[in-house]
Amino acid sequence: DSGVTQTPKHLITATGQRVTLRCSPRSGDLSVYWYQQSLDQGLQFLIQYYNGEERAKGNILERFSAQQFPDLHSELNLSSLELGDSALYFCASSVGSSGGSPLHFGNGTRLTVT
Amino acid sequence: AQTVTQSQPEMSVQEAETVTLSCTYDTSESDYYLFWYKQPPSRQMILVIRQEAYKQQNATENRFSVNFQKAAKSFSLKISDSQLGDAAMYFCAYRVQGAQKLVFGQGTRLTINP
């Protein structure tokens, strides 16, 4: 158990809808990262927060947004969903915000858009 | 651009044998970190081993060890005495000191034959 909690485990929704994915980092970790894992694109970095502030942005679509709350949990909001958004979404956390701090991953949320 | 290449999409090995997974990366940085992650069928991303680029000594974690060749930008993972539980996707990852983004390779699927 990595200590990173993601909910829900599975999500099935229709195109055009909006969903929220939630992540609680490991105790003591200040950084939260979101990654998308699709079959054909491996693990793609979406966004990172450190102690409530956005630190880095990757290939995150404008339809997607995220935030980190004062209690350090994070939410990833996906709107106007398309079939291509179907993927496994991972949250990870680390103590530091860069360099050698290893990322500890949650079990992921499997999103299926129909 | 920083890239990580895993040239072996699939590998297989007999139980109790040794297998080596390849990884190369492209960077102009001198201070960075390298990681191997394991993703079993449970989908969780599990940290296997970590290497600091400034350390010449290869990292070792029980049956897992790396062969880090900085000049060649190569970071292979050796699994000794392979066990059925080692069957998984293995991802090589790279992160520059001071950077937030952890860059992943496309993964190698390892099968253990009993």
Side-chain angles (χ1 to χ4, degrees):
Chain A
D1 184 9
S2 68
V4 179
T5 303
Q6 286 188 250
T7 57
K9 287 184 179 180
H10 302 277
L11 205 47
I12 302 174
T13 190
T15 54
Q17 295 298 305
R18 172 190 170 94
V19 297
T20 297
L21 282 53
R22 183 188 168 99
C23 170
S24 293
R26 288 192 325 162
S27 177
D29 285 359
L30 299 178
S31 274
V32 170
Y33 309 76
W34 287 97
Y35 278 82
Q36 178 191 57
Q37 185 178 30
S38 304
L39 278 177
D40 58 348
Q41 292 191 8
L43 279 148
Q44 299 293 318
F45 170 69
L46 295 179
I47 197 164
Q48 181 213 2
Y49 284 83
Y50 179 77
N51 204 19
E53 294 187 1
E54 182 184 307
R55 277 295 178 94
K57 229 172 188 178
N59 302 319
I60 188 167
L61 301 172
E62 286 190 8
R63 300 183 286 108
F64 297 180
S65 65
Q67 56 182 329
Q68 186 180 29
F69 294 87
D71 67 352
L72 300 178
H73 91 271
S74 178
E75 293 180 357
L76 178 66
N77 300 297
L78 315 176
S79 61
S80 302
L81 285 167
E82 301 175 358
L83 295 178
D85 298 328
S86 296
L88 187 55
Y89 291 84
F90 280 108
C91 169
S93 72
S94 66
V95 172
S97 64
S98 63
S101 291
L103 273 61
H104 299 272
F105 285 80
N107 288 338
T109 293
R110 169 73 69 186
L111 173 66
T112 302
V113 182
T114 62
Chain B
Q2 298 158 1
T3 58
V4 178
T5 302
Q6 294 180 249
S7 59
Q8 306 151 317
E10 297 183 357
M11 292 278 286
S12 64
V13 64
Q14 290 297 124
E15 191 176 4
E17 296 294 309
T18 295
V19 63
T20 299
L21 309 184
S22 300
C23 172
T24 59
Y25 54 94
D26 183 21
T27 183
S28 57
E29 304 288 339
S30 60
D31 195 5
Y32 52 87
Y33 299 84
L34 296 160
F35 306 85
W36 277 98
Y37 280 84
K38 166 185 176 182
Q39 187 178 36
S42 65
R43 310 180 316 184
Q44 187 177 4
M45 293 288 289
I46 301 166
L47 177 66
V48 175
I49 202 163
R50 168 180 175 269
Q51 174 80 42
E52 296 92 338
Y54 61 84
K55 286 188 177 179
Q56 291 187 341
Q57 185 174 5
N58 290 323
T60 299
E61 287 287 341
N62 300 314
R63 297 182 295 106
F64 298 86
S65 61
V66 299
N67 182 7
F68 173 49
Q69 302 288 328
K70 191 171 184 178
K73 298 180 183 175
S74 171
F75 182 60
S76 59
L77 175 70
K78 186 172 84 170
I79 305 174
S80 304
D81 186 25
S82 298
Q83 300 175 1
L84 294 178
D86 295 333
M89 279 288 285
Y90 285 81
F91 291 94
C92 177
Y94 156 94
R95 192 182 194 186
V96 176
Q97 173 61 31
Q100 287 73 37
K101 183 178 177 180
L102 183 63
V103 179
F104 285 89
Q106 291 297 99
T108 295
R109 183 174 302 281
L110 179 64
T111 301
I112 312 295
N113 300 314

